[in-house]
Amino acid sequence: MPMPCVALLGQALLCAALLQASNSMAQELPALTRWGASVLNVTFDPGTWTLTWSCGGHVIVKSCTATYTKRNGRPGHLKIRDPVCRCQFKSLTLHLGVTLEVNATVNHMPVLEKLRYVNRGTEGSAAQNLTCFIHDARVMTCTWEVGPAAPRDIQYFLHMRNTTGHMLMACPTYLGDHVHTGCRMEDLTQLPHHVHITVTGSSRMCDIMFYDITLNTKLIERLSPPWNITVACNSSHCVVTWSQPQTWSHMSFSDFRYEVDIQRQVCISSEQENRYEFPSPEPRLGHVVSVRAGDVRSDRWSAWSPGVAFGSEDRGVPMLHVYLTVVTVTLLCALGLGLAWKRFVRIQKLFPPIPEIKDKITDDDRVNPETLRKDLLLQTEEAN
């Protein structure tokens, strides 16, 4: 093998080893810092949230208590009574610190040991604003921001555990250019309904604080819009049908609600048949219908589906145009009648009517000429 190829292979192996070492180092959380001697020799594993102590016949532990800070800033308490040699808590949020207490008796003498787990590192170096969401029914994406006091060579790493502390996976695909600011996971087969996510950091310049969070994966899923939307119409009605969105968590018909946007939004409760029927007599103007899905258990809504067009593309004549047309036609008719009347008056003036022959005997226009002739004939016959 040529020497340049050997050198390149050696550099690649060295980089892979350094990357694996930094991942291993970033995976480890700070150990418990002890102040003073411990009668019970209590230890704490932050990876599995487990307290252990020297277990013997002269030691009887009555209870273990963990006091931590919730996401809303309020204190949370977890207590386990009558443990045997150890206390394993449910997933704890550790980055804000945890106070641990072991209440026991040693040789019939009461003993209370109190410990404080501290997130060691430079203040402001930890990742901030960690958010995770499931989308497209199969992908989980987490994003975070670089801490304001993080050093120049900072690098972040994400790991995922279940609620018993069992390691599920490290991030398979990181997002970001030089510094990891996100993670994309496309294999969610091992993802439980509750997951504990930790983002640790590494640097050669200083110790980096970590950030952790426990999530309910059912509540972080972003719903996809309904699909297979169809519109069927007859002479009087139209029916819109669609298929239920695909989800990562199991959701039944009763878990969904829908909104149909045609010309106004119509809320539809969950039904066994995803359809909406509305009157739409012919002739039917052009419409576009979109549907989105929501979760009845929360305020989650999907994005609107792509619009589906139905009806005629001819949108019809606006009513304002109809009114203007009617007014214009009326004015033109009135103007035409006025012009026709004026023309008729002018013709009457140019060609006056021929006067009728009046009776010479009487000038009374009210006398009927036919009646007058009959009277004259009768008078003539009588004279003869």
Side-chain angles (χ1 to χ4, degrees):
M1 182 180 293
M3 291 302 296
C5 295
V6 173
L8 289 175
L9 179 60
Q11 291 179 1
L13 293 175
L14 179 60
C15 291
L18 291 175
L19 180 60
Q20 182 177 3
S22 66
N23 270 289
S24 176
M25 178 180 63
Q27 178 179 338
E28 297 178 358
L29 297 175
L32 176 68
T33 302
R34 185 184 304 280
W35 290 274
S38 172
V39 176
L40 301 176
N41 192 26
V42 179
T43 60
F44 177 67
D45 181 5
T48 59
W49 313 288
T50 303
L51 274 172
T52 58
W53 54 86
S54 299
C55 191
H58 63 286
V59 177
I60 300 175
V61 176
K62 297 180 179 180
S63 65
C64 302
T65 305
T67 303
Y68 63 99
T69 304
K70 298 180 179 180
R71 295 184 66 181
N72 56 12
R74 297 181 178 179
H77 303 278
L78 293 176
K79 191 171 186 177
I80 300 176
R81 298 184 182 276
D82 301 323
V84 179
C85 296
R86 69 173 189 171
C87 287
Q88 184 173 16
F89 299 99
K90 295 180 180 180
S91 55
L92 293 171
T93 302
L94 301 176
H95 70 274
L96 295 176
V98 178
T99 301
L100 305 164
E101 294 182 3
V102 178
N103 185 11
T105 59
V106 179
N107 294 328
H108 305 287
M109 296 294 294
V111 174
L112 177 63
E113 289 209 3
K114 195 171 184 178
L115 305 94
R116 176 72 177 167
Y117 180 77
V118 180
N119 186 4
R120 296 195 306 271
T122 303
E123 188 72 25
S125 61
Q128 294 185 339
N129 299 327
L130 172 63
T131 58
C132 298
F133 57 94
I134 298 173
H135 56 98
D136 298 326
R138 61 179 181 83
V139 181
M140 181 173 177
T141 300
C142 295
T143 59
W144 59 85
E145 298 177 0
V146 177
R152 293 189 302 272
D153 65 339
I154 185 67
Q155 191 57 278
Y156 293 107
F157 303 92
L158 181 143
H159 296 85
M160 186 183 302
R161 294 180 173 87
N162 59 16
T163 54
T164 62
H166 177 69
M167 179 64 68
L168 298 177
M169 68 176 77
C171 177
T173 306
Y174 283 104
L175 307 177
D177 296 330
H178 303 292
V179 180
H180 300 159
T181 55
C183 175
R184 180 182 175 91
M185 292 162 278
E186 297 188 2
D187 183 10
L188 305 182
T189 56
Q190 297 181 346
L191 191 66
H193 291 311
H194 290 84
V195 64
H196 186 84
I197 296 177
T198 304
V199 178
T200 57
S202 65
S203 170
R204 297 181 181 276
M205 302 176 65
C206 62
D207 291 334
I208 305 300
M209 301 180 76
F210 68 91
Y211 185 91
D212 65 332
I213 189 173
T214 301
L215 298 174
N216 184 344
T217 53
K218 287 186 176 181
L219 301 180
I220 63 173
E221 182 173 7
R222 295 183 179 178
L223 300 178
S224 300
W227 59 288
N228 193 25
I229 299 173
T230 60
V231 182
C233 298
N234 58 19
S235 59
S236 61
H237 286 74
C238 288
V239 177
V240 183
T241 59
W242 59 89
S243 297
Q244 177 178 309
Q246 297 179 347
T247 58
W248 172 81
S249 60
H250 175 71
M251 295 181 67
S252 63
F253 280 101
S254 59
D255 294 327
F256 283 100
R257 54 179 172 170
Y258 299 96
E259 282 189 350
V260 179
D261 183 14
I262 304 174
Q263 289 181 327
R264 63 186 185 279
Q265 293 182 8
V266 181
C267 294
I268 301 173
S269 59
S270 58
E271 298 177 357
Q272 291 294 324
E273 196 173 5
N274 295 327
R275 55 178 285 158
Y276 173 66
E277 182 176 346
F278 60 98
S280 181
E282 293 181 342
R284 187 175 297 112
L285 301 180
H287 292 83
V288 176
V289 60
S290 298
V291 184
R292 69 173 181 172
D295 188 347
V296 297
R297 301 165 299 181
S298 65
D299 294 332
R300 292 186 299 166
W301 284 98
S302 72
W304 288 101
S305 66
V308 176
F310 67 98
S312 173
E313 295 182 358
D314 184 9
R315 296 284 180 175
V317 181
M319 293 304 297
L320 179 59
H321 292 179
V322 174
Y323 295 147
L324 292 177
T325 302
V326 171
V327 172
T328 303
V329 171
T330 303
L331 292 177
L332 289 176
C333 291
L335 182 60
L337 290 174
L339 293 175
W341 175 255
K342 189 175 181 180
R343 184 176 180 181
F344 176 76
V345 172
R346 288 181 178 177
I347 292 174
Q348 289 292 100
K349 289 181 178 181
L350 291 176
F351 304 98
I354 300 174
E356 295 182 357
I357 301 174
K358 293 185 179 182
D359 194 282
K360 297 181 179 180
I361 299 174
T362 177
D363 292 334
D364 190 356
D365 294 335
R366 292 174 296 176
V367 178
N368 192 336
E370 292 293 331
T371 304
L372 189 58
R373 290 191 190 95
K374 290 180 180 180
D375 292 342
L376 290 174
L377 290 175
L378 287 175
Q379 292 177 5
T380 303
E381 288 178 358
E382 290 177 357
N384 295 329

